[in-house]
Amino acid sequence: MSPSGKSRMPAADRSSAWSSHDMAEDAGTSRGSKGTELVAATPAPLLPDEGSASVYRDVDRLSHALVAAFTAGISPISLLQAWQDWLLHLSTSPGKQAEVSTKAVEKLVRLNDFLFRCWLGMGTATATITPLPQDRRFQHQAWQSFPFNAAQQAFLLSQQWWHNATSGLPGVTRRHERLVEFYSRQILDIVSPSNFPALNPEVIDRTLRKNGANFVNGANNLVDDLLRLADGKPPAGVENFRPGIEVAATPGEVIFRNELIELIRYAPMTETVKEEPILIVPAWIMKYYILDLSPENSLVRYLVQSGYTVFCISWRNPGSDQAGVSLDDYRRLGAMAAMDAVEAATGSSRIHGVGYCLGGTLLSIAASAMARDGDHRLASLSLFAAQVDFEEPGELGLFIDESQITLLEDVMWVEGTLDQRRMAGAFQMLRSQDLIWSRMVREYLLGERAPMTDLTAWNADSTRMPFRMQSEYLRQLYLDNDLVEGRFRVEGRPVHLEDIRAPVFAVGTETDHVAPWRSVFKLTYLLDTDIDFVLTTGGHNAGIVSEPGHLNRSYKRLSCRHAAIRPGPDEWAKEAAVTYGSWWPGWVEWLAGHSSREVAADRGDALGALKTVCAAPGTYVLER
């Protein structure tokens, strides 16, 4: 029996059960080489059962899954190992102990000096330490007056001391050092004076002006949030952004469906279009309509209005019966099946491939395999906030090690999938000041509800990931970095990124915590082809959703021709010219330079061997 009380289906039976899904007649292609015939394909089966001897391992899995329920899916063993490494090395390093003790005395002296100057200046004085540029907790003018300025300065000096204490300790592994520094910062964020009503002058001022009504509103907000969380409902206001109505509303139709994807073809908005269509492969860790939000900031609509025939994959939100879907299934039934369908629908043997986030990683794998096998259908390759080298995955990599992956695998063994909400805690911790504590102050202490936006509503539209795929992705890419190191195999043979010959347009975002731009920049070294790299302001999502007219947007661009010498990321970023505005027009101009002639726009009468399944945005995007 499974932990849920249902009998665990054998691998072969579970695979065939999925293949006999009510939509199986629309199954996709398994072809990995060029051609036009669409043939049915089935996903890889689950890994074989281990037999009765696995009962002991099953007990461990259940135990680990129970632990994960109390730790937001974060491995406590991994964290304890990091603290142990730091403490043991600190205990045997008298020089470091003396250094941090000296630093503590220095900071006490600086704080006393500040307090003395405050006394002389009737409660105000020049700060002895200023917050980091991204720290907006102390922007209110009242933080410059006593006693709030004293609390602020004491906190910032303590924060600086902890950074001194947790970094630069010889013998501690780099990952453990970063993990200890990261978690010490999280603990300090909890005790920030901005989080306490009696220490936050903005809260005190609001309370006096509103006669305490802000706390009443805050309590109502808290109760509403708790009730929604208990009922599994999305945050308030999400109901105003419905896919197909307010968002994901670009006109189009689903022309192909299999067990894993729906392929949307968008209706043309110009009389003529470029001959080469565009295929967008979004990440399946998110709903596809991040690229088709409201009409004014939809990248899909922008491309259609610019004279392109646009196709986009909408991934299915998998259930526990799809636990055996592999990473290669996403390539076969996703990217490759969609490419075959695009070719069948348009008759074009040249396609512009566009991959976002994890979809860009998958498209890079598919492009490498295509190049290896002599499939030259890619006219160009555009990768947005997509990593292929995971050696430096940023702060998100702090949560990826053997202990953490094992814990997640055991959770997925119980549930069949990994719900994005189980990962939400880790993602929020990366920006805890903005996503947790500042939000709590604003909504529960000040009593304000931030207006719901299309991007925030999309972010709450969570997805799941199949057990097998997520395990393979984390182990082969994140943990072992097989793709860059030449060990990643497609259909039994290794693939190499340097085989790709299609011109590449890559985009990194300055404040990306998921795919740090310096990691994305490595594409310029790894790809043996012409590559244009753009570094834009914004984060992982907001930097990509950067429509023309968006305020405070700018970017830098590097164009590297084949075999040209590539600069280092920091030296280039320091010297590169800044272009103000959106990077979208520059990208569309680049696409036009790699397109051929204009042809009459197809109004949907010629779909080749395909037929209209339903209107966009389809059904898979609506699955919860």
Side-chain angles (χ1 to χ4, degrees):
M1 297 291 288
S2 70
S4 61
K6 299 178 182 179
S7 59
R8 294 182 63 84
M9 187 182 298
D13 293 344
R14 190 181 295 190
S15 177
S16 62
W18 185 21
S19 300
S20 62
H21 187 270
D22 57 352
M23 295 176 181
E25 64 271 16
D26 297 310
T29 178
S30 62
R31 187 199 63 192
S33 59
K34 186 176 176 181
T36 56
E37 183 181 359
L38 299 179
V39 296
T42 57
L46 269 175
L47 297 174
D49 291 342
E50 296 171 328
S52 59
S54 68
V55 64
Y56 303 111
R57 179 69 179 101
D58 291 351
V59 172
D60 291 342
R61 285 169 168 153
L62 289 171
S63 175
H64 296 164
L66 182 63
V67 169
F70 291 95
T71 63
I74 296 173
S75 170
I77 304 299
S78 179
L79 178 58
L80 288 172
Q81 286 175 335
W83 282 106
Q84 181 186 49
D85 189 6
W86 176 72
L87 284 170
L88 287 174
H89 281 90
L90 181 63
S91 66
T92 58
S93 302
K96 184 65 175 180
Q97 294 174 27
E99 178 188 355
V100 296
S101 299
T102 302
K103 292 285 187 181
V105 172
E106 289 176 355
K107 285 166 176 45
L108 283 173
V109 170
R110 290 172 63 185
L111 180 60
N112 286 331
D113 174 68
F114 175 78
L115 294 175
F116 180 70
R117 288 187 286 110
C118 276
W119 178 70
L120 293 177
M122 303 297 292
T124 60
T126 302
T128 189
I129 183 173
T130 56
L132 295 172
Q134 66 270 23
D135 188 349
R136 297 186 290 269
R137 290 173 291 188
F138 308 112
Q139 289 184 333
H140 195 277
Q141 185 60 35
W143 282 108
Q144 310 309 317
S145 302
F146 191 83
F148 308 110
N149 55 0
Q152 176 227 102
Q153 291 290 286
F155 172 76
L156 292 176
L157 287 168
S158 298
Q159 190 176 53
Q160 189 181 65
W161 181 85
W162 268 103
H163 174 74
N164 297 147
T166 56
S167 59
L169 181 58
V172 178
T173 67
R174 175 61 178 156
R175 184 181 178 278
H176 284 167
E177 178 183 272
R178 294 179 62 212
L179 199 58
V180 169
E181 196 275 333
F182 175 81
Y183 275 104
S184 64
R185 191 167 71 243
Q186 305 307 310
I187 296 170
L188 285 170
D189 284 344
I190 295 174
V191 298
S192 169
S194 59
N195 297 337
F196 298 91
L199 296 177
N200 189 324
E202 187 176 5
V203 174
I204 294 173
D205 177 66
R206 181 68 58 86
T207 303
L208 294 175
R209 288 193 293 108
K210 297 291 185 178
N211 295 318
N214 55 303
F215 289 130
V216 176
N217 293 335
N220 290 334
N221 291 340
L222 177 60
V223 170
D224 180 61
D225 287 346
L226 292 175
L227 290 176
R228 287 176 176 273
L229 182 63
D231 293 339
K233 295 181 179 179
V238 169
E239 63 275 5
N240 298 322
F241 296 92
R242 296 163 293 179
I245 303 176
E246 291 85 11
V247 294
T250 302
E253 56 191 10
V254 174
I255 64 163
F256 174 77
R257 175 191 289 153
N258 63 22
E259 299 96 328
L260 199 56
I261 69 167
E262 289 180 331
L263 182 66
I264 301 171
R265 175 177 181 159
Y266 293 94
M269 297 183 182
T270 55
E271 291 300 319
T272 61
V273 295
K274 297 292 189 297
E275 185 174 24
E276 293 82 2
I278 292 175
L279 170 62
I280 299 176
V281 183
W284 53 90
I285 195 174
M286 56 181 74
K287 296 291 181 71
Y288 84 90
Y289 64 90
I290 177 65
L291 300 175
D292 186 26
L293 288 171
S294 303
E296 63 272 12
N297 62 0
S298 167
L299 179 58
V300 167
R301 182 180 290 265
Y302 183 79
L303 289 170
V304 175
Q305 291 175 337
S306 298
Y308 289 90
T309 302
V310 180
F311 296 80
C312 185
I313 289 175
S314 175
W315 298 99
R316 189 172 191 179
N317 199 1
S320 58
D321 59 330
Q322 291 142 352
V325 180
S326 69
L327 182 59
D328 194 60
D329 289 328
Y330 273 80
R331 181 193 64 86
R332 294 186 307 111
L333 298 175
M336 298 309 299
M339 201 170 302
D340 292 341
V342 169
E343 184 179 5
T346 64
S348 176
S349 61
R350 301 286 286 167
I351 299 168
H352 293 301
V354 179
Y356 178 32
C357 184
L358 185 53
T361 306
L362 180 71
L363 191 57
S364 299
I365 293 171
S368 301
M370 291 170 67
R372 180 198 65 189
D373 298 337
D375 186 342
H376 304 297
R377 282 180 290 174
L378 285 174
S380 72
L381 192 61
S382 298
L383 304 173
F384 303 155
Q387 293 183 100
V388 294
D389 186 339
F390 291 84
E391 183 181 2
E392 298 176 314
E395 288 189 333
L396 189 60
L398 295 175
F399 301 98
I400 305 299
D401 61 10
E402 186 65 41
S403 176
Q404 180 64 61
I405 291 177
T406 299
L407 185 70
L408 291 177
E409 286 175 338
D410 291 346
V411 170
M412 293 186 290
W413 177 83
V414 172
E415 300 179 359
T417 61
L418 182 65
D419 196 307
Q420 189 190 53
R421 286 173 292 187
R422 285 197 174 273
M423 301 177 65
F427 280 107
Q428 289 181 340
M429 286 174 66
L430 297 178
R431 295 176 53 205
S432 61
Q433 290 181 18
D434 296 329
L435 299 181
I436 300 177
W437 304 113
S438 293
R439 175 177 173 269
M440 291 180 65
V441 170
R442 183 180 63 250
E443 298 193 358
Y444 303 151
L445 300 184
L446 296 177
E448 299 175 350
R449 273 289 196 200
M452 182 62 67
T453 65
D454 52 7
L455 187 58
T456 307
W458 163 84
N459 194 54
D461 196 357
S462 61
T463 58
R464 295 176 294 273
M465 286 149 286
F467 176 5
R468 180 170 180 170
M469 182 286 303
Q470 185 68 1
S471 177
E472 291 173 347
Y473 165 64
L474 291 176
R475 288 191 177 278
Q476 294 183 46
L477 297 179
Y478 251 104
L479 194 61
D480 296 334
N481 209 15
D482 284 346
L483 180 59
V484 165
E485 297 183 10
R487 294 186 298 270
F488 194 90
R489 292 178 174 270
V490 172
E491 297 177 349
R493 293 181 294 152
V495 295
H496 303 284
L497 293 166
E498 57 268 27
D499 290 340
I500 297 173
R501 290 294 178 265
V504 174
F505 191 98
V507 179
T509 61
E510 287 185 349
T511 58
D512 198 330
H513 294 277
V514 179
W517 77 264
R518 289 174 181 83
S519 181
V520 177
F521 188 86
K522 290 183 178 181
L523 284 164
T524 62
Y525 307 135
L526 297 169
L527 298 176
D528 192 14
T529 185
D530 293 348
I531 181 168
D532 284 62
F533 178 81
V534 164
L535 175 61
T536 182
T537 51
H540 186 71
N541 297 321
I544 303 302
V545 184
S546 183
E547 71 282 0
H550 196 296
L551 296 177
N552 304 317
R553 284 290 184 257
S554 64
Y555 65 92
K556 301 173 182 178
R557 183 168 175 174
L558 171 68
S559 295
C560 295
R561 301 286 68 86
H562 173 65
I565 296 176
R566 271 64 163 166
D570 294 309
E571 62 178 284
W572 166 75
K574 183 178 180 180
E575 299 175 358
V578 177
T579 301
Y580 293 95
S582 169
W583 58 270
W584 289 8
W587 175 51
V588 168
E589 182 181 354
W590 180 88
L591 283 173
H594 293 90
S595 301
S596 56
R597 63 193 180 106
E598 299 266 344
V599 297
D602 178 10
R603 302 295 168 181
D605 298 329
L607 288 177
L610 303 176
K611 62 181 180 179
T612 299
V613 178
C614 64
T619 59
Y620 284 177
V621 72
L622 304 177
E623 293 180 342
R624 295 291 184 263

